[in-house]
Amino acid sequence: MTKKPLKVVQMLPDLHSGGVEKGTLEIAKAIVEAGHKSIVISSGGRLVKELEQEGSEHVTWNLGKKSPLTFLQVRKLRVWLRENKVDIIHARSRLPAWIAWLAWRKIPNDIRPRFITTMHGLNSVSRYSKVMTYGEKIIAVSDTVKKYLLKNYPDTEKSKIVTIARGIDAEEFPFAYQPEAKWLEAWQKDFPQTENKWLLTLPGRLTRLKGHHDFIDIIKLLKAKNPNVHGLIVGGEDPKRLQYAQELYQRVKDEGLEDSITFTGFRSDMKQIYAISATIFSLSTKPESFGRTAVEAISLGRAVIAYNHGGVGETLGNIYPVGLVGLKDIKGIAARCQELFEGEIKPPAVAQNYYKKQTMLDKTIALYESIV
């Protein structure tokens, strides 16, 4: 294990919002706390201020734009890595990984940094995606990702793959948490239609793969038996998919569910929204790599219902298996909701710490220190 302070560079497209971005900040803070130097390269975003406040340096380069011109930055990055005597370069996204790898491989071995990649998602299988297997070590964020990688890129050395599951901070999502009165008052003022309702919540940006139409079907089924049901769709519009958002709004109107489904838009207070919800859903029709949303809600003691596939199936299988339902089984989900409503099945009864953020941080820092 190395004893000297390391200079670690993480690379990703931007720092606006999202799971990859949040994980980058968490690791950056842990690097600093471990006595090392943390640098993040991205095109910037609203999280840069927090990153810098926590002791990291940010370098603004646009390495996420899918254009041939982006590759002109390879030489610039190679020179920068040498001048700054970087010890580890950690790529968290495909295009930045290509730029990093092309720069890295031409640096002489005796002064070359170590190269690490993280597979955060189940990306399309292609030569473009294969760059995430080029790391000297490859972090898989779940066993689901590891299996996907080995199945689709069988020439990858199994010994290079290190599974480090994503984790959450139980202090950030404490069991049995209740929002403050001030927050509740503001919420009820903004969304009076949700007061004293059985709230069912689907988090996620308004993109087609998140299962919004399935959620509308579920609310429609439940509403026939339980007039008190109210659905929350929590997530902002995707600027590239505004037509899909309009499609959802129109369908809710056509189904006569305008009083039963609320679109909240983007919210930064997910903990509070989870806490007032009876059930949180994960209905992505495409398998996801981990399922942070489900783990956060379970940590708070809320019931979660999810399609049993991908990383969400893996994580929920470990901490709340009763919440798993077959893919596209709308009637099965409605029945499971009814069982929760009638008390036949229960939300999590005790706090769980299966997916701890500190474990994720410790394993990542240990990997950094052992590879140098």
Side-chain angles (χ1 to χ4, degrees), residues 177-328:
Y177 166 81
Q178 290 298 313
E180 296 177 357
K182 186 177 180 180
W183 182 90
L184 285 169
E185 183 181 345
W187 173 268
Q188 288 165 6
K189 182 180 178 181
D190 290 340
F191 304 106
Q193 68 273 30
T194 66
E195 190 169 1
N196 298 319
K197 297 292 186 179
W198 180 31
L199 295 180
L200 306 180
T201 297
L202 178 66
R205 188 183 293 190
L206 302 187
T207 59
R208 196 169 294 278
L209 296 175
K210 291 296 184 181
H212 298 99
H213 281 293
D214 291 358
F215 184 70
I216 294 169
D217 289 337
I218 292 161
I219 298 299
K220 187 178 177 182
L221 277 176
L222 290 169
K223 193 73 179 176
K225 291 185 178 181
N226 303 279
N228 207 38
V229 164
H230 194 94
L232 292 178
I233 294 178
V234 185
E237 296 178 347
D238 187 327
K240 297 178 182 178
R241 297 171 177 84
L242 294 178
Q243 186 176 348
Y244 174 68
Q246 293 301 319
E247 176 186 316
L248 293 175
Y249 304 148
Q250 188 62 45
R251 185 180 169 204
V252 167
K253 184 177 181 180
D254 292 344
E255 297 279 7
L257 294 171
E258 288 177 290
D259 294 332
S260 302
I261 294 178
T262 294
F263 292 87
T264 70
F266 171 78
R267 302 286 300 197
S268 59
D269 50 357
M270 292 308 303
K271 176 172 69 173
Q272 289 82 357
I273 295 173
Y274 291 153
I276 65 170
S277 303
T279 307
I280 290 86
F281 293 81
S282 176
L283 304 177
S284 293
T285 52
K286 180 181 177 182
E288 296 186 339
S289 59
F290 178 64
R292 182 192 285 265
T293 293
V295 177
E296 290 172 346
I298 292 289
S299 180
L300 292 168
R302 310 319 297 157
V304 174
I305 294 179
Y307 286 147
N308 188 9
H309 65 161
V312 180
E314 176 187 334
T315 54
L316 220 60
N318 287 325
I319 58 179
Y320 191 66
V322 72
L324 291 172
V325 179
L327 181 64
K328 304 291 286 185

